[in-house]
Amino acid sequence: MLKQKIFCEAGLDKDGFDVKYLSDYKGFGVISTTVHASGDFLLQYAGETLNGQDGEERLKRTTENKIFFYRYKGKELCIDAEGVNDHICQFVNDGKDDANSTMKLKVFNGREYLCLFAKRDIVAGEEILYDYGCDGKNLWWRSKFLLMWILTRLVCQITPQVLILNQMKSMCQNRLKSRPIPLCKRRET
């Protein structure tokens, strides 16, 4: 507990991680550059703390979803990491079934901190992932529709003459453009 308290209160990220561009699909992600043991403190989700209502309003005005909602002492709160350049936890991707870390609320000297911990041993070169913790209906990347779009994209690259698959691809692209901004990253503590 001492290590995470020191890093959180000092406003510092722990060494041992890089932010890298992974793909057009995933965008950026956090890669471990060293070994982390199960239970180790990894990173802090840092940013501006807001009440839940202000967080919902801010979500309506942004194209980024860097807002992490949580409950503490019966109140809905959130941390908005938009514009945070000195911390990297907002680049950790959703892992659902592949999560190697978990987010926990910690309180030090009366202040809340969202801390990421290793669920299992993590090796150098491994992407850090955690389950964003909601049902997935607002997470477009978990959509079956997206899976269909990816599959049709792959097939269309192999056989571009297939008109039906091109129509499906177009339909999926239009559907994805109209998807709402994800409203997840909510935790009950």
Side-chain angles (χ1 to χ4, degrees):
M1 182 162 118
L2 182 59
K3 190 178 275 191
Q4 70 240 19
K5 181 179 180 193
I6 291 169
F7 280 104
C8 289
E9 290 184 333
L12 300 171
D13 268 344
K14 188 174 145 182
D15 289 335
F17 304 95
D18 279 334
V19 175
K20 292 188 177 182
Y21 184 80
L22 303 175
S23 69
D24 288 344
Y25 170 68
K26 274 193 145 181
F28 290 91
V30 176
I31 306 298
S32 175
T33 59
T34 188
V35 174
H36 302 279
S38 179
D40 278 359
F41 165 74
L42 302 175
L43 297 165
Q44 174 196 353
Y45 197 91
E48 181 182 2
T49 302
L50 305 166
N51 67 48
Q53 184 177 353
D54 290 344
E56 294 286 350
E57 289 301 313
R58 192 167 288 182
L59 268 177
K60 294 175 187 175
R61 298 187 311 264
T62 184
T63 59
E64 298 287 325
N65 182 14
K66 295 184 178 179
I67 299 177
F68 192 114
F69 291 87
Y70 64 98
R71 291 186 90 55
Y72 179 63
K73 292 187 176 180
K75 296 179 185 173
E76 184 170 37
L77 302 165
C78 66
I79 293 180
D80 182 1
E82 176 106 19
V84 173
N85 298 317
D86 54 349
H87 288 276
I88 63 172
C89 194
Q90 72 266 22
F91 295 106
V92 175
N93 288 313
D94 177 35
K96 193 178 178 197
D97 299 326
D98 301 324
N100 56 13
S101 60
T102 187
M103 191 70 72
K104 295 180 182 180
L105 179 68
K106 296 292 181 179
V107 179
F108 306 118
N109 297 323
R111 182 167 174 221
E112 307 101 53
Y113 297 92
L114 293 173
C115 298
L116 198 62
F117 291 88
K119 284 174 60 173
R120 59 169 174 75
D121 292 346
I122 299 171
V123 299
E126 187 174 353
E127 183 182 6
I128 306 300
L129 301 167
Y130 73 96
D131 183 353
Y132 283 4
C134 54
D135 60 14
K137 66 182 175 188
N138 291 318
L139 302 176
W140 60 266
W141 56 90
R142 288 189 188 173
S143 170
K144 291 178 186 174
F145 219 58
L146 180 66
L147 179 60
M148 184 175 17
W149 179 79
I150 291 169
L151 291 172
T152 57
R153 183 175 175 195
L154 290 172
V155 170
C156 288
Q157 287 175 349
I158 296 168
T159 57
Q161 303 86 351
V162 181
L163 179 61
I164 294 171
L165 293 177
N166 282 330
Q167 289 173 337
M168 288 175 59
K169 177 181 170 184
S170 176
M171 180 182 73
C172 291
Q173 285 173 326
N174 292 335
R175 169 85 175 171
L176 288 175
K177 287 178 186 174
S178 67
R179 299 296 291 198
I181 294 172
L183 297 176
C184 286
K185 294 187 181 175
R186 295 181 188 272
R187 290 280 194 258
E188 189 76 31
T189 58

